[in-house]
Amino acid sequence: MAGKPKLYYFDGRGKMESVRWLLAAAGVEFEEEFLETREQYEKLLQDGSLLFQQVPMVEIDGMKMVQTRAILSYIAGKYNLYGKDLKERALIDMYVGGTDDLMGFLLVFPFLSAEDKEKQRAFVVQKATSRYFPAYEKVLKDHGHDFLVGNNFSWADVHLLEAILMIEEKKSDVLSGFPQLQAFKARISSIPTIKKFLEPGSQRKPISDDKYVETVRRVLRMYYDMKAN
């Protein structure tokens, strides 16, 4: 019997958080090794575990997988969260790609100055409410089902809920003009595996703090300042 997937990353959200979400949605238990020192990172490099010399890295089914999108695609396919046919898979890829674009604006957030954080917050909320949320509102309305693709729970639903909750951390009433998304959020949050992941004590990570930023900078030797878009 294969062991639990093992995730190698920092003790924070970053690019690994979507992997945690998807595994949790699939009801899969996983282990984590948190990078805290440069020596840990260099050991992974020396062992040849990081194909492109970067994390996230996930050990699963005898593979050491890097590249976040590849990891997520594999998990989605393995646990039946990737549609029933090629057409549904294409739609899932399209919706996940859009959500990825939106979430990408949040990745730099912990590394910004206080002034730039406020600018980025406004930028993210504007993009969400003028471009991305209207698109998903229309998809849900036109589709007429509980989920984004077909009539089954998929990776696209997990990814969109993760994004919604992250944007709500920046503006709590961001869904006020989107009734379809409000209902979607309630439905997906009530799925047992998701509900469990949203409860205190799960492996879901909180908003990244200064300790996370300092650890990432030290381990990856990031000494430059990241700017807002």
Side-chain angles (χ1 to χ4, degrees):
M1 181 178 177
K4 297 177 183 178
K6 188 170 183 179
L7 283 51
Y8 293 79
Y9 200 66
F10 306 97
D11 188 7
R13 289 182 180 175
K15 290 189 174 183
M16 186 65 90
E17 189 68 357
S18 293
V19 177
R20 299 183 184 107
W21 265 89
L22 196 57
L23 285 168
V28 178
E29 294 184 359
F30 56 90
E31 299 175 348
E32 299 191 75
E33 180 171 316
F34 298 126
L35 300 182
E36 298 176 344
T37 67
R38 179 72 183 182
E39 288 71 27
Q40 284 176 285
Y41 175 66
E42 289 180 344
K43 185 177 186 302
L44 290 174
L45 292 175
Q46 292 163 5
D47 290 347
S49 298
L50 307 180
L51 182 62
F52 300 113
Q53 302 179 23
Q54 62 193 30
V55 289
M57 189 271 281
V58 175
E59 283 188 300
I60 184 170
D61 295 342
M63 298 183 290
K64 293 183 177 180
M65 294 196 70
V66 295
Q67 292 295 330
T68 311
R69 187 61 181 262
I71 295 167
L72 290 166
S73 296
Y74 182 79
I75 293 167
K78 180 178 173 68
Y79 296 107
N80 300 314
L81 294 170
Y82 214 170
K84 71 178 188 300
D85 56 31
L86 192 59
K87 183 176 179 180
E88 287 194 358
R89 180 168 292 199
L91 289 173
I92 290 168
D93 282 338
M94 184 169 69
Y95 298 150
V96 166
T99 306
D100 256 349
D101 290 346
L102 176 58
M103 292 173 69
F105 300 135
L106 292 166
L107 278 176
V108 300
F109 201 87
F111 299 88
L112 301 175
S113 67
E115 180 181 356
D116 282 340
K117 281 181 179 178
E118 183 54 33
K119 292 178 182 177
Q120 190 74 347
R121 186 198 69 79
F123 175 82
V124 169
V125 170
Q126 188 272 329
K127 287 292 186 183
T129 56
S130 67
R131 180 184 294 184
Y132 296 97
F133 287 174
Y136 291 119
E137 185 80 0
K138 184 178 188 304
V139 168
L140 288 165
K141 185 176 181 179
D142 292 349
H143 184 45
H145 291 291
D146 288 345
F147 307 106
L148 285 169
V149 178
N151 197 23
N152 292 293
F153 180 48
S154 77
W155 174 21
D157 302 307
V158 180
H159 214 48
L160 180 55
L161 178 63
E162 181 188 0
I164 287 170
L165 297 182
M166 289 174 70
I167 304 296
E168 284 187 331
E169 290 170 347
K170 306 307 178 193
K171 190 175 190 295
S172 60
D173 64 347
V174 73
L175 289 185
S176 60
F178 303 99
Q180 294 287 338
L181 285 175
Q182 291 175 38
F184 171 86
K185 174 191 167 186
R187 284 195 304 273
I188 305 304
S189 296
S190 69
I191 292 171
T193 54
I194 297 290
K195 185 177 181 181
K196 181 179 179 181
F197 190 61
L198 293 174
E199 291 173 351
S202 79
Q203 287 168 287
R204 184 185 178 209
K205 302 307 177 193
I207 296 174
S208 299
D209 57 14
D210 290 343
K211 180 181 179 182
Y212 167 80
V213 170
E214 193 277 329
T215 301
V216 173
R217 287 186 183 277
R218 182 179 67 252
V219 173
L220 299 183
R221 293 180 176 169
M222 294 169 53
Y223 300 122
Y224 56 89
D225 291 326
M226 300 182 76
K227 298 297 183 182
N229 286 282

